[in-house]
Amino acid sequence: MSICSEWDRINPEEYVGVWAYLEVEDGSLSEAGLQMLGVARLLASQKDTYVGAVLIGRGVSSLAREAIYYGADRVYVADDERFEKYYPTLYGEALAYLAKEYKPEALLVAGTMRGREFTPYVANILKTGITADCTSFEVDSAAKDILGVRPTFGAYLIAHIRTLNRRPAIFTARPNVFPTPQKDLAREGEIIPTNPKVVDAVGVKLLGRSRFGRGAAPIEKAKILVSGGKGLGGKEGFTILEEFAKVIGGEVSGSRKAVDAGWITHDRQVGQTGKAVRADLYFAVGISGAVQHLFGIREVRCVVAINKDPDAPIFDNCDYGLVGDYTEIVPALIKAVKKIKASPQLITNFVNLNINVVNLIKGN
């Protein structure tokens, strides 16, 4: 295969190790980055190689040991005042420099807003391939190449994508699609200080920073979600769901059709074009169960479906199903939960019931 004459010639055989870029959020390693570290650990074990982690920023050296506890064998640290403020070109250039210097075979980046922004810079500098929004990974048994697996064409097809002849192969994956690895305080690893050569002039200047206020907790962090779909029939249907969510201590989310109809905002959307969630309990109310939506709830521990259509696909993908009109079922649930909360004995019974349900789900 011929490549562009202006691209550097590389020998893929010289590239070893699976790296994960670790994003730092409010002075801590982000959960999304740790999830990539868990994926790197699995791939490295199949390829019998090491796991590398990359930290870029100012004051991030103190987090290197934490990265080892979560699965890194080597942590490459670029702790420098130049990286105090995040600029996509600057961070991209630094990560590309480290990849050129240490030659990993693969680089995994969480598909956060920041990851989606600066990872293409890395791929462009290195002149290598990038596979975005992976939902799974495989190692080819013959060639030992890492394949990124992702849905395409509206999730009707699953693509297995290989980067040929260029290294590192770069992959991004959505947060919460993969589990966060267990912390092991007994793990040991190597911390490698680095000094990436980057161009100081980034072309832009950050004048200020402010956080957007959130009216509700992010759905990707919620333990209980009450989600509405087209079957609600209108925006007013979410009023009932909000009351139910409040009673059971959950958050409200929705399907793409509910978002497209303007009944709920996009930041509350669950599914392939929304967010992947990992709730312990998920109520799918008036949601048909299209494959695009199921993609977003595949890590949910318990799904309760409420739909008046007994043939809705969601009933093939739930733990409990209630066939009926949600305007009758949800108010009845609200009334029942309020009654349980009002009685200490019933609360005890309710807690025991939850424990039994969780044990049942676990197969205990």
Side-chain angles (χ1 to χ4, degrees):
M1 172 180 286
S2 61
I3 62 172
C4 177
S5 59
E6 296 187 2
W7 288 13
D8 294 337
R9 296 282 176 178
I10 67 164
N11 178 7
E13 300 296 326
E14 295 178 351
Y15 290 71
V16 293
V18 182
W19 280 18
Y21 169 74
L22 300 182
E23 195 170 315
V24 177
E25 192 175 76
D26 296 329
S28 302
L29 298 179
S30 76
E31 192 170 343
L34 293 176
Q35 291 164 3
M36 292 299 92
L37 199 51
V39 175
R41 185 79 261 161
L42 289 173
L43 294 173
S45 65
Q46 295 180 55
K47 294 183 62 66
D48 193 23
T49 187
Y50 79 94
V51 173
V54 182
L55 283 167
I56 300 174
R58 187 177 189 186
V60 296
S61 298
S62 59
L63 300 173
R65 185 63 56 187
E66 192 81 355
I68 292 172
Y69 293 155
Y70 278 100
D73 299 312
R74 304 173 192 172
V75 185
Y76 302 87
V77 182
D79 190 340
D80 194 305
E81 62 180 7
R82 295 173 297 169
F83 305 121
E84 181 174 10
K85 295 176 181 177
Y86 164 75
Y87 295 101
T89 53
L90 183 67
Y91 272 49
E93 197 175 344
L95 187 51
Y97 177 90
L98 295 177
K100 280 185 177 179
E101 185 78 9
Y102 296 98
K103 294 182 169 56
E105 177 185 352
L107 171 62
L108 309 177
V109 181
T112 61
M113 290 185 68
R114 180 174 294 191
R116 289 169 182 262
E117 184 179 41
F118 87 90
T119 307
Y121 286 101
V122 181
N124 182 55
I125 294 170
L126 298 175
K127 300 294 185 286
T128 186
I130 178 172
T131 304
D133 279 347
C134 294
T135 58
S136 182
F137 293 92
E138 295 178 2
V139 175
D140 182 89
S141 58
K144 294 296 182 183
D145 288 337
I146 295 175
L147 309 180
V149 182
R150 57 154 299 166
T152 186
F153 293 110
Y156 287 103
L157 292 176
I158 299 296
H160 293 64
I161 301 174
R162 182 199 315 263
T163 297
L164 293 172
N165 301 322
R166 302 299 296 178
R167 295 290 184 271
I170 301 179
F171 305 95
T172 67
R174 290 188 185 188
N176 297 321
V177 172
F178 299 96
T180 304
Q182 294 292 316
K183 187 176 182 178
D184 181 359
L185 296 176
R187 290 199 83 259
E188 295 184 353
E190 183 181 6
I191 299 173
I192 304 170
T194 68
N195 183 25
K197 294 179 181 176
V198 296
V199 178
D200 290 336
V202 295
V204 295
K205 183 178 181 181
L206 180 65
L207 300 178
R209 186 189 301 271
S210 62
R211 286 183 177 273
F212 287 104
R214 290 184 182 273
I219 61 173
E220 59 270 33
K221 300 286 186 183
K223 295 297 183 184
I224 301 176
L225 282 170
V226 181
S227 200
K230 186 179 179 182
L232 294 185
K235 187 174 183 178
E236 60 278 4
F238 275 93
T239 303
I240 302 175
L241 301 194
E242 287 168 358
E243 182 182 357
F244 183 40
K246 184 177 180 181
V247 168
I248 61 175
E251 297 291 336
V252 174
S253 55
S255 69
R256 176 174 176 174
K257 288 185 177 178
V259 172
D260 288 346
W263 301 345
I264 190 168
T265 56
H266 182 263
D267 66 313
R268 318 300 288 175
Q269 181 183 326
V270 176
Q272 186 189 8
T273 54
K275 294 179 178 177
V277 296
R278 303 174 60 86
D280 291 335
L281 184 58
Y282 185 86
F283 289 88
V285 185
I287 293 175
S288 63
V291 64
Q292 294 90 339
H293 187 80
L294 298 178
F295 168 82
I297 62 173
R298 66 179 196 170
E299 294 296 327
V300 169
R301 297 183 66 188
C302 180
V303 177
V304 180
I306 301 173
N307 201 303
K308 64 182 179 182
D309 179 5
D311 297 321
I314 191 68
F315 288 123
D316 294 326
N317 298 277
C318 69
D319 298 281
Y320 303 94
L322 298 172
V323 179
D325 191 331
Y326 82 93
T327 61
E328 298 176 359
I329 293 175
V330 175
L333 290 173
I334 294 172
K335 184 178 179 181
V337 173
K338 285 182 176 179
K339 184 177 179 181
I340 289 172
K341 282 185 166 182
S343 169
Q345 183 56 48
L346 286 176
I347 289 176
T348 301
N349 294 342
F350 184 67
V351 170
N352 290 334
L353 175 63
N354 275 339
I355 293 173
N356 291 333
V357 169
V358 170
N359 287 334
L360 181 64
I361 294 169
K362 289 180 175 179
N364 297 334

